[in-house]
């Protein structure tokens, strides 16, 4: 495939999924839409996403007139199109004529025609149909003035089709990976429970007791979806080589290795649906959302796009409250603060029927703009229009958290003495939190694609699986002066999910070995007690829960000991001076206060850059986007009440009004301000 471009839009994007085709029988509504789109300061619309049945109502019978009309109207109104390929939902006639395009479940049952996002990723017929359709779209619109970006399919998922075609492809994938059944049997440790395979055709990915098998099945599905995507984009790239490409990602735990996938898109985009108001406090939701935004920036270490978000409510999360006044603005600009080059919504106009008729939209069933939602969306549009200068600036991090999706899959499969509440993703967020609280930008990285050179500090929580030489790269990183933090449950298995025998590979880097891991019930009491004069100045006692490694030191020094039980006095936090750097080991699950104290001290020692040199109140955070000449400071308040922020000695100006700001700035409840640092 051709080399990937970098998508650098000339403006910050503001728009929505526009299901124009649902309203073809309502010309007044369509006319009004364009007036409202302009009024809401939208400059881009996602078009044609689920429109296959309208584009090709019967096999070989194409109707592009309505899409021509839409594209022309967008262009006439100065609005750009993110034009979708329609493979996210197949038409009924196709499912009927070609049953092989429908998914087969684990029990061998083929899906009836229903829902969406449920095609077989292997089916040659579906691939051919998609190719035909994408060829026609690319030929027709490649030079259309409205076309800005391709939106390939919609939210590819890893549903795992169990049809014969997928199984054959899986077995071929395994043959390429292992070469022989002997190698495969060894990698999957199939002598266990007499699972040895004597013929490739015996392999069926339905046995959760063979962890290597299930892990490889997940890898295969992810690869197969990426392969499907690559086939989808072939005609787009050939026919319209200058039009960049994206596909909308979701939260990371959907079974796709987005780290790999991201290499094949020109710009990463994603759909963010936090459950605002679902907890007593809002800021933990803001925190987790920030982590996800940073993840999407990190996939390519470039600005990304928020391609979908709801302007008000969803209708699939059980309970979804309308965003309280101010929160829409804050949550939208939060994405921009973390590197998004725009804000887009699902959906522009609320459907009249079907499953999503009560999902939030910019224009509701009342069909006019005199609503709170419309006004708040318009306010975002106005603000983005005035922040135009900021486009393509980016956030820069000197600290990275290793958040490895394949590690998460393997860890989820593992049956440990404590399998409850492993919570890999949550723990990565817990280690991210102290940085978020201080306004220190964090990148996320993974084991196989990461370039470690930009970072001073790397944090690797629960790095259960070591693959692709990550342990050597981390070792080199520390040796050359980097600082590493690793926790309990790390370095247990190789990339086939086979346990390491003898010395574990992190032994010399960490200067210790792990004898066993205690797992705690909620009534169990354990603590860590800081050793006087330790490397980070930790003091006193902190509670421990869930997991506690019992370790022995080679060269590492103890910074804290356990306080209870038969391993009281054993080391719980250690540091190992290795080459020019240090590697810390956090042997047990600690609480928020500990992580706060630990990382505050470490950030201070390493002089990690803060977006603003001040102590931020709880629930308030800051991000900096910059290029070589400009710096934009985002201050965000995830508390419902106003908060004061001391601006210190620096000279700031409001990014919009240029008003000079000094001293104390009051951020209203759910408030957000963008400031410029005076040069
Ligand atoms: C997304 C999907 C959209 C819409 C939205 C509702 O996951 O891409 O098409 O269904 O959810 O929140």
């Amino acid at each position: 495939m051709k080399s990937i471009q970098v998508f650098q839009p000339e403006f910050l994007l503001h728009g929505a999924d526009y299901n124009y085709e649902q309203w073809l029988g309502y010309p007044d509504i369509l006319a009004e839409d364009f007036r409202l789109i302009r009024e809401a300061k939208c400059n881009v619309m996602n078009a044609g996403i689920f429109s296959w049945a309208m584009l090709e109502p019967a096999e070989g019978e194409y109707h592009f007139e309505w899409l021509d009309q839409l594209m022309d109207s967008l262009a006439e109104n100065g609005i750009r199109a993110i034009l979708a390929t329609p493979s996210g939902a197949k038409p009924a006639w196709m499912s009927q004529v070609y049953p092989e395009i429908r998914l087969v479940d684990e029990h061998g049952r083929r899906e009836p025609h229903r829902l969406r996002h449920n095609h077989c990723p292997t089916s040659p017929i579906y691939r051919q149909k998609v190719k035909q359709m994408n060829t026609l779209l690319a030929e027709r619109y490649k030079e259309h003035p409205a076309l800005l970006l391709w939106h390939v399919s919609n939210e590819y998922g890893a549903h795992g089709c169990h049809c014969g075609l997928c199984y054959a492809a899986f077995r071929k994938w395994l043959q390429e990976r292992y070469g022989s059944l002997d190698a495969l049997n060894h990698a999957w440790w199939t002598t266990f429970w007499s699972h040895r395979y004597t013929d490739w055709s015996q392999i069926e990915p339905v046995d959760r007791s063979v962890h290597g098998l299930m892990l490889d099945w997940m890898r295969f599905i992810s690869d197969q979806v990426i392969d499907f995507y690559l086939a989808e984009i072939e005609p787009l790239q050939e026919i319209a080589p200058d039009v960049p490409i994206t596909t909308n990602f979701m939260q990371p735990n959907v079974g796709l290795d987005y780290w790999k996938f991201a290499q094949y898109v020109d710009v990463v985009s994603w759909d963010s649906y936090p459950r605002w108001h679902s907890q007593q406090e809002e800021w933990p939701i803001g925190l987790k959302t920030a982590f996800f935004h940073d993840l999407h920036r990190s996939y390519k270490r470039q600005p990304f796009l928020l391609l979908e978000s709801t302007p008000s409510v969803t209708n699939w999360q059980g309970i979804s409250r309308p965003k309280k006044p101010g929160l829409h603005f804050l949550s939208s600009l939060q994405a921009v603060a973390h590197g998004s080059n725009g804000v887009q919504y699902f959906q522009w106009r609320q459907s009249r029927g079907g499953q999503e008729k009560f999902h939030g939209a910019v224009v509701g069933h009342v069909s006019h703009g005199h609503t709170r939602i419309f006004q708040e969306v318009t306010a975002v549009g106005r603000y983005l229009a005035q922040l135009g200068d900021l486009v393509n600036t980016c956030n820069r991090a000197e600290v990275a958290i290793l958040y490895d999706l394949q590690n998460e899959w393997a860890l989820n499969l593992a049956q440990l003495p404590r399998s409850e509440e492993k919570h890999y993703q949550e723990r990565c967020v817990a280690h991210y939190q102290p940085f978020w609280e201080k306004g220190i930008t964090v990148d996320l990285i993974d084991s196989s694609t990461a370039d470690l050179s930009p970072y001073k500090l790397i944090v690797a929580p629960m790095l259960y699986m070591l693959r692709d030489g990550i342990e050597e790269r981390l070792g080199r990183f520390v040796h050359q002066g980097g600082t590493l933090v690793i926790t309990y449950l790390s370095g247990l298995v190789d990339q086939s999910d086979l346990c390491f025998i003898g010395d574990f590979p992190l032994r010399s880097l960490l200067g210790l070995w792990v004898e066993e891991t205690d797992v705690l019930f909620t009534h169990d009491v354990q603590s860590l007690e800081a050793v006087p004069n330790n490397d980070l100045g930790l003091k006193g006692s902190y509670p421990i829960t869930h997991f506690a490694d019992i370790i022995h030191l080679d060269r590492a020094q103890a910074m804290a000991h356990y306080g209870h039980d038969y391993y009281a006095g054993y080391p719980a936090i250690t540091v190992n001076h290795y080459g020019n750097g240090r590697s810390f080991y956090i042997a047990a699950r600690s609480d928020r206060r500990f992580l706060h104290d630990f990382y505050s001290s470490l950030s201070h020692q390493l002089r990690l850059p803060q977006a603003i040199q001040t102590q931020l109140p709880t629930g308030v955070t800051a991000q900096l986007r910059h290029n070589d000449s400009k710096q934009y400071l985002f201050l965000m308040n995830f508390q419902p009440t106003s908060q004061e922020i001391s601006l210190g000695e620096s000279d700031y100006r409001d990014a919009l009004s240029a008003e000079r700001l000094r001293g104390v700035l009051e951020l209203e409840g759910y408030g957000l301000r963008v400031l410029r640092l005076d040069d």
Side-chain angles (χ1 to χ4, degrees):
M1 70 171 282
K2 76 162 184 158
S3 66
I4 290 292
Q5 336 184 354
V6 177
F7 176 62
Q8 293 200 311
E10 284 158 16
F11 51 89
L12 289 172
L13 277 55
H14 188 230
D17 278 21
Y18 187 25
N19 300 313
Y20 180 90
E21 65 278 10
Q22 290 180 19
W23 301 95
L24 294 180
Y26 298 71
D28 293 351
I29 283 193
L30 294 181
E32 180 65 351
D33 269 343
F34 282 95
R35 194 185 67 75
L36 290 170
I37 289 172
R38 286 196 312 267
E39 193 175 317
K41 300 275 173 278
C42 287
N43 50 28
V44 58
M45 286 279 141
N46 299 333
I49 300 172
F50 296 110
S51 64
W52 204 329
M54 298 301 282
L55 291 172
E56 192 182 0
E59 188 160 17
E61 182 190 323
Y62 296 104
H63 287 275
F64 286 100
E65 320 81 60
W66 66 267
L67 188 53
D68 294 347
Q69 218 176 71
L70 166 58
M71 293 292 281
D72 293 349
S73 304
L74 288 170
E76 280 156 24
N77 284 277
I79 295 151
R80 305 297 299 276
I82 301 188
L83 183 56
T85 64
S87 68
K90 46 202 170 346
W93 62 260
M94 202 187 290
S95 295
Q96 190 177 40
V97 182
Y98 304 106
E100 76 159 50
I101 71 173
R102 291 187 259 132
L103 270 183
V104 171
D105 73 13
E106 277 201 276
H107 305 288
R109 291 176 305 218
R110 199 172 282 285
E111 278 258 307
H113 178 78
R114 59 180 175 184
L115 300 165
R116 59 173 177 174
H117 299 160
N118 53 1
H119 60 261
C120 165
T122 306
S123 158
I125 291 176
Y126 198 54
R127 287 179 177 222
Q128 191 214 335
K129 289 285 171 200
V130 166
K131 188 170 183 187
Q132 251 166 24
M133 173 52 72
N134 293 2
T135 302
L136 292 172
L137 284 170
E139 273 167 355
R140 196 166 186 103
Y141 300 111
K142 63 179 178 208
E143 271 155 18
H144 198 286
L147 181 59
L148 178 68
L149 185 67
W150 293 113
H151 176 306
V152 178
S153 200
N154 191 68
E155 292 191 340
Y156 285 113
H159 306 295
C161 175
H162 292 259
C163 75
L165 294 165
C166 284
Y167 275 18
F170 178 45
R171 290 168 190 147
K172 186 160 168 267
W173 185 94
L174 291 170
Q175 279 162 7
E176 277 159 22
R177 187 176 176 88
Y178 294 105
S180 71
L181 271 180
D182 278 350
L184 174 142
N185 278 315
H186 181 265
W188 292 356
W189 209 249
T190 50
T191 312
F192 172 76
W193 285 356
S194 209
H195 279 303
R196 287 188 76 79
Y197 299 101
T198 50
D199 193 278
W200 296 95
S201 63
Q202 294 156 1
I203 299 171
E204 294 193 344
V206 290
D207 187 347
R208 285 186 68 86
S209 73
V210 186
H211 289 179
L213 161 67
M214 296 320 284
L215 187 60
D216 277 343
W217 173 241
M218 292 179 79
R219 288 175 173 144
F220 161 76
I221 295 293
S222 178
D223 281 359
Q224 195 69 349
V225 170
I226 295 173
D227 190 63
F228 181 91
Y229 159 85
L230 291 174
E232 265 228 38
I233 65 172
E234 234 172 62
L236 307 179
Q237 290 188 317
E238 262 168 44
I239 300 164
D242 297 329
V243 183
I245 292 176
T246 193
T247 182
N248 45 344
F249 290 175
M250 297 175 270
Q251 279 192 16
N253 39 333
V254 296
L256 293 175
D257 189 346
Y258 283 134
W259 290 106
K260 210 174 199 184
F261 205 154
Q263 298 170 40
Y264 303 110
V265 300
D266 295 316
V267 54
V268 167
S269 63
W270 88 288
D271 301 344
S272 171
Y273 291 97
R275 281 183 90 194
W276 299 112
H277 310 306
S278 62
Q279 297 180 28
Q280 275 193 331
E281 292 194 287
E282 212 71 65
W283 66 259
I285 303 171
L287 161 74
K288 193 163 180 187
T289 308
F291 175 89
F292 288 140
H293 286 317
D294 280 344
L295 177 65
H296 287 83
R297 186 193 66 248
S298 300
Y299 284 139
K300 286 177 96 66
R301 294 185 66 232
Q302 281 166 18
F304 63 96
L305 293 174
L306 173 66
L307 210 61
E308 283 184 29
S309 59
T310 181
S312 57
V313 293
T314 68
N315 68 339
W316 50 265
Q317 287 171 317
I319 302 174
S320 172
R321 293 191 72 186
K323 289 191 237 180
K324 293 190 184 173
L327 190 59
H328 177 66
F329 186 80
L330 172 63
S331 59
S332 299
L333 269 294
Q334 182 194 18
V336 179
H338 287 268
S340 177
N341 269 338
V343 174
Q344 287 179 255
Y345 313 112
F346 177 86
Q347 50 193 326
W348 168 254
R349 182 179 278 279
Q350 207 165 22
S351 282
R352 189 161 187 203
Q355 182 167 308
E356 291 183 330
K357 58 183 175 296
F358 296 117
H359 192 289
V362 180
V363 181
H365 294 140
V366 293
S367 215
H368 58 63
H370 310 295
T371 60
R372 183 171 71 88
I373 295 170
F374 190 88
Q375 297 310 319
E376 294 199 13
V377 164
T378 306
V380 171
R382 274 206 200 98
Y383 202 81
L384 292 178
Q386 294 175 71
L387 267 188
D389 253 18
L390 177 130
V391 73
N392 304 321
T393 57
C394 201
N395 315 54
R396 289 180 200 150
E398 293 185 7
V399 46
I401 294 180
L402 208 161
Y403 175 54
D404 187 275
L405 295 170
Q406 293 195 23
N407 180 56
E408 182 162 32
W409 302 346
L411 195 53
N412 287 345
L413 281 166
Q415 271 183 257
L416 302 169
R418 182 187 173 110
S419 280
E420 288 171 17
E421 299 174 307
K422 290 180 220 156
H423 288 170
Y424 174 62
Q425 186 188 85
E426 282 175 32
R427 294 316 294 169
C428 289
V429 175
H431 284 262
Y432 169 89
Q433 179 171 345
F435 301 104
W436 183 81
E437 289 171 343
K438 289 186 177 313
I440 294 176
T441 296
V442 175
D443 278 352
L444 286 309
I445 54 175
D446 93 322
S447 296
S448 54
T449 57
D451 167 15
L452 310 185
S453 62
Y455 308 111
K456 282 185 182 161
L457 171 64
I458 292 176
V459 180
M462 300 166 78
L463 189 60
Y464 163 78
M465 184 176 65
L466 301 179
R467 64 187 180 93
D468 295 321
I470 185 66
E471 63 280 20
E472 279 133 42
R473 281 185 293 135
L474 288 173
R476 265 199 307 279
F477 166 78
V478 177
H479 209 267
Q480 289 163 3
T483 303
L484 173 70
V485 178
I486 287 204
T487 77
Y488 59 94
L489 286 189
S490 288
L492 294 179
V493 299
D494 69 9
Q495 58 199 1
S496 300
D497 209 19
L498 284 179
C499 294
F500 292 110
I501 303 296
D503 276 350
F504 89 133
L506 300 171
R507 182 164 181 168
S508 69
L509 173 58
L510 299 175
L512 55 85
W513 66 279
V514 182
E515 182 177 349
E516 58 179 326
T517 300
D518 190 12
V519 293
L520 306 168
F521 287 98
T522 38
H523 61 261
D524 288 324
V525 175
Q526 187 51 281
S527 66
L528 60 87
E529 313 290 333
V531 168
N533 305 320
N534 60 71
D535 260 40
L536 295 180
L538 299 170
K539 290 196 176 64
S541 172
Y542 299 89
I544 289 300
T545 56
H546 298 78
F547 298 96
D549 279 352
I550 298 169
I551 59 179
H552 299 277
L553 305 187
D554 299 328
R555 294 181 53 245
Q557 293 145 24
M559 295 168 53
H561 291 133
Y562 288 114
H564 298 270
D565 225 314
Y566 63 97
Y567 50 98
Y570 276 61
I573 309 291
T574 67
V575 60
N576 190 37
H577 293 257
Y578 182 83
N580 295 322
R582 286 180 297 175
S583 47
F584 292 90
Y585 192 63
I586 301 180
R589 186 167 289 179
S590 49
D591 69 347
R592 176 181 170 198
R593 186 170 61 88
F594 172 79
L595 293 178
H596 173 270
D597 293 353
F598 180 90
Y599 287 116
S600 294
S601 176
L602 203 48
S603 314
H604 183 73
Q605 281 185 4
L606 296 174
R607 295 204 177 82
L608 295 178
Q610 283 176 266
I612 177 169
Q613 288 299 329
T614 193
Q615 169 103 23
L616 295 166
T618 303
V620 173
T621 186
Q623 276 293 322
L624 209 54
R625 276 185 75 157
H626 39 166
N627 62 16
D628 294 337
S629 60
K630 297 177 245 173
Q631 287 201 41
Y632 294 87
L633 171 68
F634 287 73
L635 294 172
M636 296 166 260
N637 177 14
F638 287 91
Q639 300 278 13
T641 51
S642 70
Q643 304 291 323
E644 291 188 341
I645 298 167
S646 158
L647 297 178
E649 296 306 307
S650 310
D651 271 332
Y652 289 102
R653 284 179 187 277
D654 183 279
L656 261 49
S657 68
E659 176 198 350
R660 196 177 273 277
L661 299 162
R662 294 207 81 168
V664 171
L665 179 81
E666 182 158 330
L667 261 189
E668 60 190 17
Y670 301 137
L672 175 141
R673 289 283 289 268
V674 186
L675 310 185
R676 286 199 59 169
L677 202 53
D678 258 3
D679 324 301

